[in-house]
Amino acid sequence: MKNKVDRLRVAIDGPAASGKNTLAKQIAKKYKLLHLDSGKLYRYFALQVYQSKDQKVNYKKLKQALKKLTLKKLKDKRLTTEPITKIASIISKKKRIRQMLKKVQHNLAYNPPKKFKGSILDGRDIGTVIIPDAHVKVYLTASLNVRAVRRFKEYKKLGINTTLSKVKSDIKRRDYEDTHRKISSLKPAKDAVLLDSSFYNTKAAFVEIDEVIRNKIKLLNATKHKSL
Ligand code: C5P
């Protein structure tokens, strides 16, 4: 289908290991959207904290690190390690951290480089806080068991030595932290499409969301939506 919609914005939220990232990547590829895994931003800050002598949050240093941030830096393998995952979960509760990262996310969501036809961001608060006017919002979840097994297999492939029960308890703790924090807590946006991928694979999730996006684009093109 010819995609006449110029600057499509898609938000995907959900708990850890729900498959958001895989889904977002596939959609980004199909619709030529800039993809940002917003969790990587919190991980990038976590890496700065981890590398500091006292392992404390230093806003001045984070500000400097933010200036040097490039999308390439978010591909750093160290960002997915266990200590960084833990620190990211803790610092993401801080209002100032969220404010600093909101600007970056906003810029990329609303002004992606010209070669992209829009943007897709995945995270915890994309549809609720970062892109409240996203054209399509998805809330992707799956049972704790399914998510833990998925993440455990990924770790195994990467050669990370851990156990299923440890992966499961880590995800459970992060779920708790994400859903119970005071600001930008994890919850579906009111207008999000809810998808539980416990019983079907990422391909099926893609097919379903792809249809939602195609219908939305048709509708937007037909009504010549003013914001486009
Ligand atoms: O998505 P990922 O697991 O990589 O995110 C790392 C951490 O960053 C999460 O545990 C969560 O606390 C935080 N995060 C967030 N808001 C987002 C994305 C991630 O608070 N939009």
Side-chain angles (χ1 to χ4, degrees):
M1 179 192 145
K2 188 153 167 30
N3 178 359
K4 282 194 278 171
V5 173
D6 207 27
R7 306 255 94 177
L8 185 75
R9 287 182 294 278
V10 182
I12 305 192
D13 290 302
S18 56
K20 312 181 287 290
N21 203 251
T22 311
L23 180 65
K25 271 188 192 147
Q26 291 171 342
I27 293 181
K29 198 172 169 202
K30 173 156 184 187
Y31 292 93
K32 297 189 174 60
L33 308 175
L34 169 112
H35 170 225
L36 176 70
D37 167 0
S38 66
K40 288 277 168 59
L41 296 174
Y42 294 89
R43 288 172 183 270
Y44 176 69
F45 268 6
L47 181 64
Q48 317 303 317
V49 174
Y50 182 67
Q51 286 175 331
S52 66
K53 271 190 201 141
D54 55 3
Q55 301 215 338
K56 281 193 180 143
V57 173
N58 178 327
Y59 288 105
K60 206 173 152 199
K61 290 235 167 84
L62 290 183
K63 217 171 161 185
Q64 286 164 357
L66 202 52
K67 279 189 191 147
K68 291 184 203 151
L69 177 66
T70 57
L71 289 175
K72 199 173 161 218
K73 283 191 177 165
L74 297 181
K75 290 188 179 145
D76 188 330
K77 290 237 158 56
R78 288 173 298 177
L79 298 183
T80 45
T81 56
E82 207 265 325
I84 301 304
T85 305
K86 214 172 202 164
I87 298 172
S89 170
I90 296 167
I91 63 169
S92 66
K93 285 185 212 161
K94 296 185 185 289
K95 194 174 173 184
R96 197 157 161 200
I97 296 254
R98 300 203 76 85
Q99 273 169 349
M100 287 167 85
L101 294 180
K102 189 175 176 178
K103 277 190 198 157
V104 186
Q105 295 173 77
H106 249 243
N107 272 342
L108 289 169
Y110 290 90
N111 296 302
K114 283 212 172 86
K115 64 176 179 174
F116 297 105
K117 294 197 168 183
S119 59
I120 179 164
L121 274 65
D122 70 86
R124 307 291 190 285
D125 61 342
I126 307 299
T128 50
V129 177
I130 306 294
I131 327 180
D133 63 349
H135 300 103
V136 175
K137 295 182 187 177
V138 180
Y139 188 85
L140 185 64
T141 187
S143 70
L144 176 62
N145 255 331
V146 167
R147 289 185 286 130
V149 170
R150 228 180 248 163
R151 189 49 46 97
F152 179 62
K153 282 184 184 161
E154 282 168 18
Y155 282 163
K156 247 184 153 180
K157 261 193 201 161
L158 293 170
I160 296 170
N161 190 19
T162 185
T163 62
L164 178 59
S165 71
K166 180 156 188 334
V167 172
K168 196 170 169 179
S169 65
D170 280 354
I171 291 181
K172 198 173 173 185
R173 180 185 45 79
R174 285 209 286 148
D175 281 356
Y176 183 86
E177 303 284 353
D178 286 339
T179 49
H180 286 79
R181 67 171 169 241
K182 282 194 193 117
I183 45 162
S184 300
S185 63
L186 170 66
K187 58 174 178 265
K190 282 192 187 102
D191 48 350
V193 176
L194 304 181
L195 214 62
D196 186 333
S197 73
S198 302
F199 305 108
Y200 56 107
N201 57 26
T202 42
K203 201 173 168 190
F206 172 78
V207 170
E208 192 147 337
I209 296 308
D210 184 39
E211 198 185 341
V212 174
I213 295 179
R214 268 188 291 127
N215 286 335
K216 186 73 187 187
I217 291 175
K218 259 189 222 163
L219 191 75
L220 290 169
N221 285 334
T223 55
K224 293 205 179 357
H225 199 278
K226 280 188 185 135
S227 65
L228 295 172

